[in-house]
Amino acid sequence: KQEVTQIPAALSVPEGENLVLNCSFTDSAIYNLQWFRQDPGKGLTSLLLIQSSQREQTSGRLNASLDKSSGRSTLYIAASQPGDSATYLCAVNDYKLSFGAGTTVTVRA
Amino acid sequence: ETGVTQTPRHLVMGMTNKKSLKCEQHLGHNAMYWYKQSAKKPLELMFVYSLEERVENNSVPSRFSPECPNSSHLFLHLHTLQPEDSALYLCASSQRDVTRGYTFGSGTRLTVV
């Protein structure tokens, strides 16, 4: 059974600092990995989808890396803003989508 | 809106009530999913429908009954729920092509009293 772990569980940074969110998974036989953002009480917004054959994906200030063999992915958010405050979820697709518990980010103005 | 629409956004129901959650997608996807998100816990997959056929039921109690009448619509029928069923219920859709990502709705916040 796929186990997905996200570290840290919570993170508070001043505005402008870069964010580094970590995700690890136990079974490396995956098709892809997807990072989502969730605002309180809301649904999930897809940020980046990275295929198992890719090493990284970028969108604006966001960059996700994937090291499938070691079962790790990292989401980098450059020059954080208060609007980046949310919970970030990592989901691994090995035919089913398995989620981590998320990292709750607070960016202080 | 994300392309996946869920109604209602909020629902309060008594333990003896019967209610239904609705999910609709206009993305041309052929798989739909129900997830449950409880406080402090990862999202839990409840049901999977592929081409309108249920392909997965993750040991969900029978008080939750899914229905997928066509590839664009998914329902979750609720009856005699317990307070511990209070949670955010999320619908998602995707192509069954495993290289594609998932699109989620905004969820229904369910409170059982």
Side-chain angles (χ1 to χ4, degrees), chain B residues 69-90:
Chain B
N70 55 60
S71 60
S72 299
H73 293 85
L74 184 66
F75 295 89
L76 188 63
H77 304 300
L78 316 171
H79 64 96
T80 58
L81 294 191
Q82 305 297 312
E84 60 264 29
D85 296 321
S86 298
L88 182 67
Y89 289 84
L90 291 160

PDB file of all heavy atoms in Angstrom, chain B residues 69-90:
ATOM      1  N   PRO B  69     -25.080   8.004 -13.344  1.00  0.00           N
ATOM      2  CA  PRO B  69     -26.015   7.756 -14.441  1.00  0.00           C
ATOM      3  C   PRO B  69     -25.418   7.976 -15.827  1.00  0.00           C
ATOM      4  O   PRO B  69     -25.894   7.396 -16.801  1.00  0.00           O
ATOM      5  CB  PRO B  69     -27.138   8.761 -14.167  1.00  0.00           C
ATOM      6  CG  PRO B  69     -26.485   9.855 -13.380  1.00  0.00           C
ATOM      7  CD  PRO B  69     -25.425   9.190 -12.553  1.00  0.00           C
ATOM      8  N   ASN B  70     -24.382   8.809 -15.910  1.00  0.00           N
ATOM      9  CA  ASN B  70     -23.687   9.032 -17.187  1.00  0.00           C
ATOM     10  C   ASN B  70     -22.297   9.555 -16.879  1.00  0.00           C
ATOM     11  O   ASN B  70     -21.968   9.812 -15.712  1.00  0.00           O
ATOM     12  CB  ASN B  70     -24.470   9.994 -18.092  1.00  0.00           C
ATOM     13  CG  ASN B  70     -24.759  11.306 -17.411  1.00  0.00           C
ATOM     14  OD1 ASN B  70     -23.845  12.030 -17.013  1.00  0.00           O
ATOM     15  ND2 ASN B  70     -26.035  11.615 -17.224  1.00  0.00           N
ATOM     16  N   SER B  71     -21.500   9.754 -17.886  1.00  0.00           N
ATOM     17  CA  SER B  71     -20.086  10.082 -17.648  1.00  0.00           C
ATOM     18  C   SER B  71     -19.891  11.479 -17.090  1.00  0.00           C
ATOM     19  O   SER B  71     -18.795  11.816 -16.647  1.00  0.00           O
ATOM     20  CB  SER B  71     -19.288   9.930 -18.946  1.00  0.00           C
ATOM     21  OG  SER B  71     -19.794  10.797 -19.936  1.00  0.00           O
ATOM     22  N   SER B  72     -20.934  12.308 -17.097  1.00  0.00           N
ATOM     23  CA  SER B  72     -20.783  13.683 -16.621  1.00  0.00           C
ATOM     24  C   SER B  72     -21.306  13.901 -15.210  1.00  0.00           C
ATOM     25  O   SER B  72     -21.058  14.953 -14.629  1.00  0.00           O
ATOM     26  CB  SER B  72     -21.522  14.658 -17.553  1.00  0.00           C
ATOM     27  OG  SER B  72     -21.002  14.605 -18.849  1.00  0.00           O
ATOM     28  N   HIS B  73     -22.047  12.940 -14.684  1.00  0.00           N
ATOM     29  CA  HIS B  73     -22.713  13.146 -13.400  1.00  0.00           C
ATOM     30  C   HIS B  73     -22.407  12.015 -12.424  1.00  0.00           C
ATOM     31  O   HIS B  73     -22.367  10.843 -12.800  1.00  0.00           O
ATOM     32  CB  HIS B  73     -24.232  13.244 -13.591  1.00  0.00           C
ATOM     33  CG  HIS B  73     -24.663  14.457 -14.349  1.00  0.00           C
ATOM     34  ND1 HIS B  73     -24.690  14.488 -15.733  1.00  0.00           N
ATOM     35  CD2 HIS B  73     -25.042  15.693 -13.918  1.00  0.00           C
ATOM     36  CE1 HIS B  73     -25.095  15.687 -16.121  1.00  0.00           C
ATOM     37  NE2 HIS B  73     -25.318  16.431 -15.055  1.00  0.00           N
ATOM     38  N   LEU B  74     -22.249  12.419 -11.178  1.00  0.00           N
ATOM     39  CA  LEU B  74     -21.984  11.472 -10.103  1.00  0.00           C
ATOM     40  C   LEU B  74     -22.750  11.939  -8.877  1.00  0.00           C
ATOM     41  O   LEU B  74     -22.764  13.130  -8.568  1.00  0.00           O
ATOM     42  CB  LEU B  74     -20.487  11.420  -9.805  1.00  0.00           C
ATOM     43  CG  LEU B  74     -19.989  10.427  -8.768  1.00  0.00           C
ATOM     44  CD1 LEU B  74     -20.200   8.983  -9.254  1.00  0.00           C
ATOM     45  CD2 LEU B  74     -18.513  10.655  -8.461  1.00  0.00           C
ATOM     46  N   PHE B  75     -23.399  10.998  -8.202  1.00  0.00           N
ATOM     47  CA  PHE B  75     -24.146  11.316  -6.998  1.00  0.00           C
ATOM     48  C   PHE B  75     -23.622  10.484  -5.841  1.00  0.00           C
ATOM     49  O   PHE B  75     -23.077   9.390  -6.028  1.00  0.00           O
ATOM     50  CB  PHE B  75     -25.646  11.015  -7.193  1.00  0.00           C
ATOM     51  CG  PHE B  75     -26.313  11.874  -8.220  1.00  0.00           C
ATOM     52  CD1 PHE B  75     -26.340  11.481  -9.557  1.00  0.00           C
ATOM     53  CD2 PHE B  75     -26.919  13.065  -7.868  1.00  0.00           C
ATOM     54  CE1 PHE B  75     -26.953  12.265 -10.524  1.00  0.00           C
ATOM     55  CE2 PHE B  75     -27.536  13.859  -8.824  1.00  0.00           C
ATOM     56  CZ  PHE B  75     -27.557  13.457 -10.154  1.00  0.00           C
ATOM     57  N   LEU B  76     -23.813  11.018  -4.645  1.00  0.00           N
ATOM     58  CA  LEU B  76     -23.563  10.247  -3.430  1.00  0.00           C
ATOM     59  C   LEU B  76     -24.813  10.369  -2.571  1.00  0.00           C
ATOM     60  O   LEU B  76     -25.124  11.444  -2.061  1.00  0.00           O
ATOM     61  CB  LEU B  76     -22.329  10.770  -2.696  1.00  0.00           C
ATOM     62  CG  LEU B  76     -21.857   9.935  -1.511  1.00  0.00           C
ATOM     63  CD1 LEU B  76     -21.423   8.535  -1.970  1.00  0.00           C
ATOM     64  CD2 LEU B  76     -20.687  10.620  -0.789  1.00  0.00           C
ATOM     65  N   HIS B  77     -25.547   9.249  -2.460  1.00  0.00           N
ATOM     66  CA  HIS B  77     -26.775   9.227  -1.684  1.00  0.00           C
ATOM     67  C   HIS B  77     -26.430   8.855  -0.243  1.00  0.00           C
ATOM     68  O   HIS B  77     -25.673   7.909   0.009  1.00  0.00           O
ATOM     69  CB  HIS B  77     -27.767   8.232  -2.275  1.00  0.00           C
ATOM     70  CG  HIS B  77     -28.093   8.489  -3.716  1.00  0.00           C
ATOM     71  ND1 HIS B  77     -28.662   9.678  -4.150  1.00  0.00           N
ATOM     72  CD2 HIS B  77     -27.898   7.726  -4.826  1.00  0.00           C
ATOM     73  CE1 HIS B  77     -28.821   9.631  -5.464  1.00  0.00           C
ATOM     74  NE2 HIS B  77     -28.369   8.468  -5.905  1.00  0.00           N
ATOM     75  N   LEU B  78     -27.008   9.631   0.684  1.00  0.00           N
ATOM     76  CA  LEU B  78     -26.679   9.505   2.095  1.00  0.00           C
ATOM     77  C   LEU B  78     -27.930   9.141   2.884  1.00  0.00           C
ATOM     78  O   LEU B  78     -28.993   9.750   2.671  1.00  0.00           O
ATOM     79  CB  LEU B  78     -26.128  10.828   2.630  1.00  0.00           C
ATOM     80  CG  LEU B  78     -25.111  11.558   1.745  1.00  0.00           C
ATOM     81  CD1 LEU B  78     -24.847  12.954   2.308  1.00  0.00           C
ATOM     82  CD2 LEU B  78     -23.825  10.756   1.655  1.00  0.00           C
ATOM     83  N   HIS B  79     -27.827   8.168   3.787  1.00  0.00           N
ATOM     84  CA  HIS B  79     -28.968   7.861   4.659  1.00  0.00           C
ATOM     85  C   HIS B  79     -28.476   7.298   5.970  1.00  0.00           C
ATOM     86  O   HIS B  79     -27.490   6.554   6.023  1.00  0.00           O
ATOM     87  CB  HIS B  79     -29.946   6.915   3.967  1.00  0.00           C
ATOM     88  CG  HIS B  79     -29.373   5.568   3.673  1.00  0.00           C
ATOM     89  ND1 HIS B  79     -29.545   4.470   4.493  1.00  0.00           N
ATOM     90  CD2 HIS B  79     -28.612   5.135   2.645  1.00  0.00           C
ATOM     91  CE1 HIS B  79     -28.933   3.437   3.957  1.00  0.00           C
ATOM     92  NE2 HIS B  79     -28.360   3.803   2.843  1.00  0.00           N
ATOM     93  N   THR B  80     -29.171   7.667   7.030  1.00  0.00           N
ATOM     94  CA  THR B  80     -28.860   7.263   8.409  1.00  0.00           C
ATOM     95  C   THR B  80     -27.382   7.414   8.725  1.00  0.00           C
ATOM     96  O   THR B  80     -26.700   6.474   9.160  1.00  0.00           O
ATOM     97  CB  THR B  80     -29.321   5.819   8.697  1.00  0.00           C
ATOM     98  OG1 THR B  80     -28.705   4.917   7.769  1.00  0.00           O
ATOM     99  CG2 THR B  80     -30.817   5.713   8.611  1.00  0.00           C
ATOM    100  N   LEU B  81     -26.874   8.616   8.503  1.00  0.00           N
ATOM    101  CA  LEU B  81     -25.461   8.877   8.766  1.00  0.00           C
ATOM    102  C   LEU B  81     -25.200   9.060  10.253  1.00  0.00           C
ATOM    103  O   LEU B  81     -26.124   9.274  11.044  1.00  0.00           O
ATOM    104  CB  LEU B  81     -24.997  10.115   8.003  1.00  0.00           C
ATOM    105  CG  LEU B  81     -24.989  10.022   6.485  1.00  0.00           C
ATOM    106  CD1 LEU B  81     -24.258  11.225   5.892  1.00  0.00           C
ATOM    107  CD2 LEU B  81     -24.357   8.740   5.994  1.00  0.00           C
ATOM    108  N   GLN B  82     -23.932   9.006  10.621  1.00  0.00           N
ATOM    109  CA  GLN B  82     -23.473   9.182  11.987  1.00  0.00           C
ATOM    110  C   GLN B  82     -22.718  10.508  12.093  1.00  0.00           C
ATOM    111  O   GLN B  82     -22.189  11.000  11.088  1.00  0.00           O
ATOM    112  CB  GLN B  82     -22.554   8.027  12.380  1.00  0.00           C
ATOM    113  CG  GLN B  82     -23.170   6.645  12.187  1.00  0.00           C
ATOM    114  CD  GLN B  82     -24.383   6.464  13.081  1.00  0.00           C
ATOM    115  OE1 GLN B  82     -24.328   6.749  14.271  1.00  0.00           O
ATOM    116  NE2 GLN B  82     -25.486   6.009  12.502  1.00  0.00           N
ATOM    117  N   PRO B  83     -22.629  11.078  13.283  1.00  0.00           N
ATOM    118  CA  PRO B  83     -21.874  12.338  13.430  1.00  0.00           C
ATOM    119  C   PRO B  83     -20.435  12.237  12.918  1.00  0.00           C
ATOM    120  O   PRO B  83     -19.903  13.219  12.378  1.00  0.00           O
ATOM    121  CB  PRO B  83     -21.920  12.596  14.938  1.00  0.00           C
ATOM    122  CG  PRO B  83     -23.204  11.966  15.373  1.00  0.00           C
ATOM    123  CD  PRO B  83     -23.348  10.723  14.529  1.00  0.00           C
ATOM    124  N   GLU B  84     -19.818  11.063  13.028  1.00  0.00           N
ATOM    125  CA  GLU B  84     -18.435  10.925  12.551  1.00  0.00           C
ATOM    126  C   GLU B  84     -18.316  10.963  11.025  1.00  0.00           C
ATOM    127  O   GLU B  84     -17.199  10.987  10.479  1.00  0.00           O
ATOM    128  CB  GLU B  84     -17.796   9.631  13.082  1.00  0.00           C
ATOM    129  CG  GLU B  84     -18.493   8.367  12.679  1.00  0.00           C
ATOM    130  CD  GLU B  84     -19.472   7.873  13.736  1.00  0.00           C
ATOM    131  OE1 GLU B  84     -20.028   8.708  14.486  1.00  0.00           O
ATOM    132  OE2 GLU B  84     -19.687   6.642  13.800  1.00  0.00           O
ATOM    133  N   ASP B  85     -19.461  10.969  10.339  1.00  0.00           N
ATOM    134  CA  ASP B  85     -19.443  11.108   8.876  1.00  0.00           C
ATOM    135  C   ASP B  85     -19.324  12.575   8.455  1.00  0.00           C
ATOM    136  O   ASP B  85     -19.192  12.871   7.253  1.00  0.00           O
ATOM    137  CB  ASP B  85     -20.704  10.513   8.265  1.00  0.00           C
ATOM    138  CG  ASP B  85     -20.808   9.016   8.501  1.00  0.00           C
ATOM    139  OD1 ASP B  85     -19.758   8.330   8.436  1.00  0.00           O
ATOM    140  OD2 ASP B  85     -21.921   8.521   8.777  1.00  0.00           O
ATOM    141  N   SER B  86     -19.385  13.470   9.416  1.00  0.00           N
ATOM    142  CA  SER B  86     -19.207  14.893   9.109  1.00  0.00           C
ATOM    143  C   SER B  86     -17.805  15.101   8.538  1.00  0.00           C
ATOM    144  O   SER B  86     -16.806  14.685   9.152  1.00  0.00           O
ATOM    145  CB  SER B  86     -19.388  15.735  10.369  1.00  0.00           C
ATOM    146  OG  SER B  86     -20.688  15.589  10.896  1.00  0.00           O
ATOM    147  N   ALA B  87     -17.743  15.730   7.370  1.00  0.00           N
ATOM    148  CA  ALA B  87     -16.459  15.887   6.679  1.00  0.00           C
ATOM    149  C   ALA B  87     -16.676  16.727   5.426  1.00  0.00           C
ATOM    150  O   ALA B  87     -17.806  17.127   5.116  1.00  0.00           O
ATOM    151  CB  ALA B  87     -15.885  14.518   6.276  1.00  0.00           C
ATOM    152  N   LEU B  88     -15.603  16.976   4.707  1.00  0.00           N
ATOM    153  CA  LEU B  88     -15.678  17.593   3.388  1.00  0.00           C
ATOM    154  C   LEU B  88     -15.639  16.467   2.360  1.00  0.00           C
ATOM    155  O   LEU B  88     -14.722  15.644   2.367  1.00  0.00           O
ATOM    156  CB  LEU B  88     -14.492  18.541   3.180  1.00  0.00           C
ATOM    157  CG  LEU B  88     -14.439  19.313   1.851  1.00  0.00           C
ATOM    158  CD1 LEU B  88     -15.593  20.315   1.758  1.00  0.00           C
ATOM    159  CD2 LEU B  88     -13.099  20.037   1.714  1.00  0.00           C
ATOM    160  N   TYR B  89     -16.657  16.407   1.506  1.00  0.00           N
ATOM    161  CA  TYR B  89     -16.729  15.374   0.487  1.00  0.00           C
ATOM    162  C   TYR B  89     -16.364  16.006  -0.856  1.00  0.00           C
ATOM    163  O   TYR B  89     -17.002  16.961  -1.300  1.00  0.00           O
ATOM    164  CB  TYR B  89     -18.114  14.727   0.456  1.00  0.00           C
ATOM    165  CG  TYR B  89     -18.320  13.871   1.677  1.00  0.00           C
ATOM    166  CD1 TYR B  89     -18.760  14.434   2.875  1.00  0.00           C
ATOM    167  CD2 TYR B  89     -18.014  12.513   1.653  1.00  0.00           C
ATOM    168  CE1 TYR B  89     -18.900  13.659   4.019  1.00  0.00           C
ATOM    169  CE2 TYR B  89     -18.153  11.729   2.790  1.00  0.00           C
ATOM    170  CZ  TYR B  89     -18.587  12.305   3.964  1.00  0.00           C
ATOM    171  OH  TYR B  89     -18.707  11.534   5.088  1.00  0.00           O
ATOM    172  N   LEU B  90     -15.343  15.434  -1.461  1.00  0.00           N
ATOM    173  CA  LEU B  90     -14.801  15.988  -2.698  1.00  0.00           C
ATOM    174  C   LEU B  90     -15.024  15.033  -3.852  1.00  0.00           C
ATOM    175  O   LEU B  90     -14.819  13.824  -3.734  1.00  0.00           O
ATOM    176  CB  LEU B  90     -13.297  16.244  -2.541  1.00  0.00           C
ATOM    177  CG  LEU B  90     -12.919  17.373  -1.580  1.00  0.00           C
ATOM    178  CD1 LEU B  90     -11.482  17.241  -1.130  1.00  0.00           C
ATOM    179  CD2 LEU B  90     -13.136  18.717  -2.244  1.00  0.00           C
TER     180      LEU B  90
END
